Amino acid sequence: MTPFPVHGIDEALGIKYSKLGWIVICIGLCGTATAQGLIYYVGAIHDKFVIGGKPLFDFTFTIPVTFELTVLFSAFAATLGMFAMNGLPRLYHPALNYRNAHRATDDRFLLVIEASDPKFDAQQSAEHLRSVGAGTVEVVEG
């Protein structure tokens, strides 16, 4: 976490691009198909009302409802997908045991190296961080 955006940090840390955009576009297209299918079924199959000489189904009349349902499905996909991909709601993280964690978003940088990392060695990591100028290094057990 940093108190300001650091451009290029994702590439430096080896973080892959998010798949959330693909989830949102796919679910949004499902919303489009749902709206079109529902409007076609109701207008052309189930309730065949001819009003003012208009056709039973015309794409131009379905645009507002289709747009709204696409946006609704996309919003739900973005919100639920973000929660799922981030592992939320996560009410606790061991990094919060760090004594200065409350200052991480104010005026400090906070670098967390998790033990699940295959290159993790607590002693070597702490020594390396001190050698490159880290102000405070603390091994937090969680």
Side-chain angles (χ1 to χ4, degrees):
M1 294 188 288
T2 65
F4 53 85
V6 178
H7 300 291
I9 194 77
D10 292 341
E11 291 83 16
L13 293 176
I15 297 173
K16 297 177 183 174
Y17 288 105
S18 175
K19 293 179 177 66
L20 186 61
W22 290 106
I23 293 171
V24 171
I25 193 77
C26 290
I27 301 298
L29 290 174
C30 288
T32 303
T34 300
Q36 289 293 310
L38 183 63
I39 293 169
Y40 179 79
Y41 172 75
V42 170
I45 296 173
H46 189 265
D47 297 327
K48 296 181 181 179
F49 295 128
V50 177
I51 300 171
K54 295 179 183 176
L56 294 176
F57 178 81
D58 186 19
F59 176 74
T60 57
F61 300 134
T62 67
I63 290 174
V65 174
T66 302
F67 172 76
E68 293 297 332
L69 212 57
T70 302
V71 170
L72 180 69
F73 275 45
S74 297
F76 279 125
T79 303
L80 297 175
M82 183 262 317
F83 277 125
M85 293 177 77
N86 289 332
L88 297 175
R90 187 175 195 177
L91 303 176
Y92 174 76
H93 190 277
L96 297 176
N97 290 336
Y98 172 57
R99 58 186 156 89
N100 289 327
H102 65 282
R103 298 180 68 190
T105 57
D106 291 335
D107 60 352
R108 298 282 189 257
F109 291 91
L110 178 63
L111 176 65
V112 176
I113 303 173
E114 296 193 3
S116 60
D117 189 331
K119 296 180 181 179
F120 179 76
D121 180 346
Q123 193 66 17
Q124 282 183 337
S125 297
E127 289 174 12
H128 178 68
L129 291 172
R130 285 188 191 97
S131 72
V132 294
T136 304
V137 176
E138 183 178 329
V139 177
V140 178
E141 300 285 328

